[in-house]
Amino acid sequence: MSIKTEPTYTEYEVSRILRDSEGQSIRPTDRGEGHAEANHELVAQGKNRASITFDGLEMRIIGDEGLPASSAFDGCQVAAITYALNTRAGQTALGYLCWDRCEWVFARIGIAAGNFRMVGYNAQVTRPAPSGARFVVGPSRTGPDGSWRPAIVLPGLLDQTPGIAGGIGMKLMKTVGKALHIRTAFPLANAPVPPRARIRWVGAGEQDQDLPV
């Protein structure tokens, strides 16, 4: 679907974009694949759609990725993305993406007014282990880039942090045919102030840009 620069995205359209983006690259030289649903949607929305489990969210912290935190929308990812794309900030981000020299736009947009449920884990938010152990330790491991990562040391067991998403982070890209490709879309506990985008320009590096509220 071609990129729209009018705030008229529907949940049906966004659902199709996510389905077409999931597990797909945009060109042969692209080293990544769409993973918005597989990593950031807790409840699969439709038949044969990807999603993540609570265990999967935990493993993103204590497993090979070694992230400091992980989060997912609780069955409302499509609605949250639709809301964000139709805001002034979302439309401005899409406007940048339409430039021929723009490779991608990573946008952080406030969506608190939409009341979208989220859940997450944070390495700093734990509960005491039933065994009384002071620390729960994840394994040392080699990261995806081949670098050695030390063991994850936690003061307790990871605890869920459910709530309402204050913002959303989205990496927006475009296919060779100028269709919108959503590489990832995850909830943020706090609204970004101000909304902000990182833009990758072909041959000119990256630029940070404030977005309108």
Side-chain angles (χ1 to χ4, degrees):
M1 178 178 183
S2 298
I3 300 169
K4 297 203 299 183
T5 53
E6 296 180 351
T8 57
Y9 276 102
T10 67
E11 291 186 21
Y12 175 76
E13 290 170 335
V14 170
S15 180
R16 288 187 59 189
I17 293 168
L18 280 176
R19 182 195 63 199
D20 293 343
S21 301
E22 194 72 14
Q24 300 299 313
S25 298
I26 57 174
R27 59 180 60 87
T29 57
D30 182 11
R31 293 178 293 176
E33 296 178 345
H35 55 267
E37 294 182 315
N39 284 355
H40 303 293
E41 173 65 298
L42 191 60
V43 181
Q45 298 300 299
K47 186 177 180 181
N48 299 323
R49 302 296 289 256
S51 61
I52 194 168
T53 63
F54 286 114
D55 285 347
L57 285 171
E58 282 189 320
M59 287 305 299
R60 299 200 72 199
I61 295 176
I62 65 175
D64 290 342
E65 290 185 83
L67 299 178
S70 63
S71 62
F73 286 103
D74 188 3
C76 54
Q77 185 184 54
V78 167
I81 295 172
T82 304
Y83 181 97
L85 292 179
N86 286 332
T87 63
R88 291 181 64 199
Q91 287 291 293
T92 302
L94 290 169
Y96 283 118
L97 186 62
C98 286
W99 285 64
D100 288 341
R101 292 179 52 248
C102 182
E103 185 175 343
W104 49 257
V105 177
F106 189 93
R108 293 179 180 267
I109 297 170
I111 59 170
N115 202 38
F116 300 112
R117 298 182 309 278
M118 66 167 287
V119 66
Y121 289 99
N122 189 302
Q124 303 303 314
V125 180
T126 61
R127 65 184 187 276
S131 64
R134 185 177 179 185
F135 295 108
V136 176
V137 183
S140 300
R141 62 221 180 278
T142 301
D145 59 357
S147 61
W148 178 253
R149 295 184 178 179
I152 298 290
V153 179
L154 301 174
L157 298 174
L158 289 170
D159 208 7
Q160 293 177 19
T161 54
I164 299 300
I168 187 172
M170 301 184 294
K171 187 171 186 179
L172 307 174
M173 307 177 77
K174 56 180 181 282
T175 67
V176 175
K178 308 296 185 182
L180 179 59
H181 171 95
I182 300 175
R183 180 55 50 91
T184 192
F186 54 88
L188 304 171
N190 300 311
V193 181
R196 200 162 181 83
R198 172 157 289 186
I199 306 166
R200 173 73 179 185
W201 301 102
V202 176
E206 298 177 13
Q207 166 196 358
D208 289 329
Q209 178 68 49
D210 288 350
L211 297 173
V213 177

